[in-house]
């Protein structure tokens, strides 16, 4: 087997061993090349199941966590999805395989620009990336069927809960930024909000306002 195929097999094996079973999610993870979303020193570690540093002091999440969060979000082919925290664009690319359209926002314009370039190079046309403070959501595009946060907040941000459609699902890390956080799945029903705690995670914090380079 050539090294690239072997790397891919190991990558998928590691996802399965972390309990990822959803076929659509595994197919999406197989199709999106994580190597395209990492530049420089860490490029050659793209297929390891580990978070890695990206520009602006941020991180690209660990693939098995990306897969588990995507599975929890239960994305449907007709779903309109909002992701807060574009980072490298990798998670958005995974979502774009499963959803009708993905809106993704980051507070760093530099990350948004770099991610847009990869989406274009990879021929991904159903992602719209914005530079914005995601804690306010994206009111002009609301409501969303699914909302995913890839930065941790102390509580689910009110504007995001408001922009979730009835029947919609939001997945987010909740907790203090310097402690272990809990991945929470919120389901919005006619009666109210349903909270389910999934597992311990560790994400960078959701910060207010735009990144320094934009101000
Ligand atoms: N999903 C990314 C990883 C995200 S790391 C990936 O697949 O690579 C978390 C990201 O959240 C960082 O890029 C950070 O800039 C962003 N972020 C933090 N607070 C934010 C906010 N209020 N609005 C938008 N993005 C925010």
């Amino acid at each position: 087997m050539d090294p690239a195929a072997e790397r891919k097999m190991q990558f998928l094996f590691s996802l399965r061993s972390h309990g990822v079973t959803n076929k659509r999610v595994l197919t999406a993870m197989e199709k999106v090349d994580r190597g395209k979303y990492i530049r420089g020193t860490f490029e050659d570690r793209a297929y390891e199941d580990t978070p890695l540093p990206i520009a602006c002091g941020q991180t690209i999440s660990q693939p098995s966590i990306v897969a588990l969060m995507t599975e929890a979000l239960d994305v449907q082919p007709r779903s309109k999805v909002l992701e807060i925290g574009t980072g490298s664009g990798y998670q958005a690319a995974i979502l774009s395989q499963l959803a009708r359209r993905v809106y993704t926002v980051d507070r760093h314009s530099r990350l948004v620009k770099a991610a847009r370039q990869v989406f274009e190079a990879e021929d991904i046309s159903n992602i719209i990336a914005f530079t914005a403070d995601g804690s306010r959501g994206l009111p002009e595009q609301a409501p969303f069927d699914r909302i995913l946060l890839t930065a941790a907040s102390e509580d689910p941000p009110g504007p995001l809960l408001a922009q979730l459609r009835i029947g919609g699902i939001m997945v987010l890390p909740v907790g203090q930024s310097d402690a272990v956080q809990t991945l929470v799945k919120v389901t919005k029903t006619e009666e109210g909000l349903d909270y389910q705690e999934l597992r311990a995670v560790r994400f960078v914090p959701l910060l207010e306002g735009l990144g320094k380079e934009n101000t």
Side-chain angles (χ1 to χ4, degrees):
M1 199 187 295
D2 70 87
E6 192 168 330
R7 238 172 23 198
K8 191 173 252 183
M9 236 184 66
Q10 264 167 14
F11 183 74
L12 290 169
F13 178 77
S14 130
L15 297 180
R16 287 206 189 85
S17 69
H18 277 87
V20 181
T21 55
N22 185 292
K23 267 199 86 138
R24 288 182 72 229
V25 173
L26 285 168
T27 304
M29 298 291 297
E30 187 176 353
K31 273 181 83 175
V32 177
D33 182 357
R34 189 170 182 247
K36 300 279 196 283
Y37 296 84
I38 299 167
R39 268 165 233 185
T41 331
F42 295 98
E43 241 175 83
D44 57 340
R45 298 187 56 192
Y47 307 98
E48 292 176 24
D49 190 25
T50 179
L52 292 169
I54 57 171
C56 302
Q58 304 303 317
T59 47
I60 177 170
S61 314
Q62 185 175 344
S64 56
I65 295 291
V66 169
L68 288 166
M69 285 174 89
T70 308
E71 206 169 38
L73 201 61
D74 191 22
V75 181
Q76 301 299 313
R78 303 283 315 150
S79 297
K80 179 173 156 192
V81 182
L82 173 63
E83 180 201 24
I84 308 301
T86 311
S88 66
Y90 178 63
Q91 170 78 72
I94 299 291
L95 294 170
S96 78
Q97 300 287 317
L98 302 165
R100 180 167 56 91
R101 186 170 294 284
V102 178
Y103 295 87
T104 181
V105 307
D106 204 287
R107 57 192 290 278
H108 288 290
S109 61
R110 188 176 154 199
L111 294 175
V112 171
K113 281 183 197 145
R116 276 192 197 130
Q117 279 173 8
V118 187
F119 300 149
E120 206 178 313
E122 294 297 292
D123 252 336
I124 302 175
S125 56
N126 62 339
I127 303 179
I128 307 181
F130 296 96
T131 303
D133 177 358
S135 56
R136 298 180 191 172
L138 213 51
E140 59 281 13
Q141 301 296 340
F144 298 95
D145 302 300
R146 301 287 185 267
I147 299 179
L148 179 65
L149 278 87
T150 62
S153 63
E154 284 179 36
D155 291 299
L160 292 176
L161 290 171
Q163 290 168 32
L164 188 62
R165 203 192 290 279
I166 302 272
I169 298 171
M170 175 157 120
V171 171
L172 77 163
V174 175
Q176 307 280 345
S177 63
D178 53 355
V180 171
Q181 307 134 5
T182 307
L183 191 64
V184 174
K185 175 175 176 172
V186 185
T187 308
K188 192 172 192 174
T189 67
E190 298 276 4
E191 288 78 45
L193 299 166
D194 231 44
Y195 291 85
Q196 190 188 347
E197 295 193 355
L198 301 178
R199 53 166 292 150
V201 283
R202 189 156 207 167
F203 277 84
V204 298
L206 185 75
L207 299 174
E208 294 215 347
L210 296 183
K212 274 205 297 292
E213 77 276 20
N214 311 292
T215 52

